[in-house]
Amino acid sequence: MNMATNFDHSRLEIVSTADCLRLLRSVALGRLVYTYGGLPAVRLVNFLVDGETIVFSTGQGDKLRAAEHRDVVAFEADDVDLERHLGWTVTAIGRLSVVTADEAAELRRTLPLHSWLPLDDPRLVRLDIASLNGRRLVPWAQRPRFGASRPR
């Protein structure tokens, strides 16, 4: 275990920003958390990481409206090994926006962006990440023990 590894109060490893982006690139599905009608809404989306932003395709509806209004949202992705009790979660907070038609055409040429759902008028939405944090559940032997120095 790297001695510089930091853990939170639950003894979960705190993941660096660079590792958070790497982990996000390793999965195809995440959850977009936004406000709809004054209440929290959560939708599963397939996505790609473009630089330090998250991009996904959507049709007409509440996710596109949130992007048109430039709403602040949360986005979460994870991967879990149920047998070994290992895994990670990454949460991004930021503002949504609709990708312009010119930029969308370029992104579609350079990234394998496509919706898993049939969409009549697909639009690309970008999440500009303002805050990114992640936690990793590591093997028991790598977790800090309770003692004189308490994990952060």
Side-chain angles (χ1 to χ4, degrees):
M1 177 173 61
N2 180 352
M3 296 311 286
T5 301
N6 289 316
F7 292 85
D8 68 10
H9 67 281
S10 299
R11 294 185 278 174
L12 295 172
E13 179 186 348
I14 299 170
V15 179
S16 71
T17 298
D19 278 345
C20 284
L21 290 169
R22 183 185 58 75
L23 290 169
L24 285 174
R25 287 183 183 99
S26 73
V27 295
L29 290 175
R31 286 166 288 287
L32 179 69
V33 183
Y34 60 102
T35 303
Y36 180 68
L39 297 172
V42 181
R43 297 292 182 268
L44 196 61
V45 296
N46 63 298
F47 71 99
L48 289 173
V49 175
D50 179 33
E52 294 186 2
T53 67
I54 294 168
V55 179
F56 61 92
S57 185
T58 191
Q60 297 297 319
D62 45 334
K63 292 180 296 218
L64 183 59
R65 274 191 296 281
E68 290 170 338
H69 293 143
R70 298 191 45 77
D71 288 354
V72 173
V73 300
F75 183 87
E76 190 269 344
D78 53 47
D79 190 28
V80 176
D81 181 332
L82 296 175
E83 290 182 20
R84 298 186 318 155
H85 298 203
L86 303 175
W88 58 266
T89 184
V90 171
T91 303
I93 307 290
R95 191 171 298 278
L96 288 182
S97 63
V98 178
V99 176
T100 66
D102 289 342
E103 185 185 2
E106 179 62 24
L107 285 173
R108 285 192 172 98
R109 277 193 297 277
T110 60
L111 296 175
L113 280 166
H114 64 280
S115 175
W116 289 11
L117 299 172
L119 300 172
D120 292 329
D121 182 24
R123 302 288 302 275
L124 293 184
V125 171
R126 180 180 306 278
L127 172 60
D128 290 309
I129 299 170
S131 169
L132 186 64
N133 67 72
R135 298 291 187 268
R136 181 182 290 124
L137 185 59
V138 298
W140 282 100
Q142 295 179 13
R143 296 178 196 170
R145 310 235 188 291
F146 285 118
S149 65
R150 191 83 184 178
R152 287 193 268 163

